[in-house]
Amino acid sequence: MTAEAPIMGRSYDRPASLDNPRSPRRPRRGGFEMAAWVFMRVSGIALLILVLTHLSIMLMIDDGVHRINFAFVADRWTNPFWQIWDLIMLWLAMLHGGNGLRTVIADYSRKDSTRFWLTTVLVVAMVLIMAIGTYVIFSFDPNIKIS
């Protein structure tokens, strides 16, 4: 009586082939992880450009740090260009960092339930911060009275 190896349901569950050990696996195309990998590279380059430009404008032009106050931010956010600039920077930073942390959670959490809850907390925190940040950028009142 010969015992056969158990057959698993998916192609990635099995070795390349038990019947033909030298036959190559069919490469898997696309998927969420590939899109997340590409997003990390593209968003990293975009963030580098956005943040370095932001820092050079804020710290090096005119009087540098000494000119940054409430009036400067109020004047800056009356222009839709800077609102969109800051919004893109906020969203890309949160999605880029959240995706990186999701990868760390997936790599280091041992139990599926731990992975699920940590990822759920991460997604809720990301959505909450992006929603509050978006609200602040677009509802900022430059005419507020400071007393």
Side-chain angles (χ1 to χ4, degrees):
M1 181 176 201
T2 48
E4 293 183 19
I7 296 174
M8 297 184 187
R10 305 218 190 277
S11 62
Y12 56 82
D13 289 335
R14 290 176 51 89
S17 174
L18 294 176
D19 301 325
N20 296 323
R22 298 192 189 281
S23 65
R25 279 190 203 187
R26 285 185 293 167
R28 198 173 146 184
R29 304 261 186 237
F32 175 76
E33 290 299 327
M34 176 61 106
W37 183 86
V38 170
F39 172 76
M40 288 298 278
R41 274 60 188 171
V42 172
S43 66
I45 292 168
L47 276 169
L48 191 64
I49 294 167
L50 288 168
V51 169
L52 289 178
T53 305
H54 173 80
L55 288 175
S56 65
I57 289 170
M58 296 301 225
L59 302 178
M60 296 180 198
I61 295 178
D62 290 337
D63 202 16
V65 174
H66 302 292
R67 71 185 168 132
I68 299 175
N69 56 18
F70 182 84
F72 176 78
V73 174
D75 183 47
R76 182 179 159 101
W77 278 356
T78 55
N79 186 344
F81 174 79
W82 291 116
Q83 285 181 324
I84 298 297
W85 183 284
D86 288 346
L87 182 72
I88 291 171
M89 214 167 32
L90 168 73
W91 277 60
L92 276 180
M94 285 305 301
L95 292 172
H96 182 89
N99 190 28
L101 193 53
R102 179 194 62 83
T103 304
V104 170
I105 289 170
D107 285 347
Y108 288 104
S109 58
R110 294 177 184 229
K111 292 171 41 179
D112 288 339
S113 61
T114 304
R115 184 176 306 114
F116 170 78
W117 286 112
L118 287 174
T119 305
T120 301
V121 168
L122 174 65
V123 168
V124 167
M126 284 174 50
V127 168
L128 189 64
I129 290 170
M130 289 189 322
I132 290 172
T134 302
Y135 176 74
V136 167
I137 289 172
F138 288 117
S139 68
F140 182 76
D141 183 12
N143 300 320
I144 194 169
K145 300 294 180 202
I146 301 174
S147 50

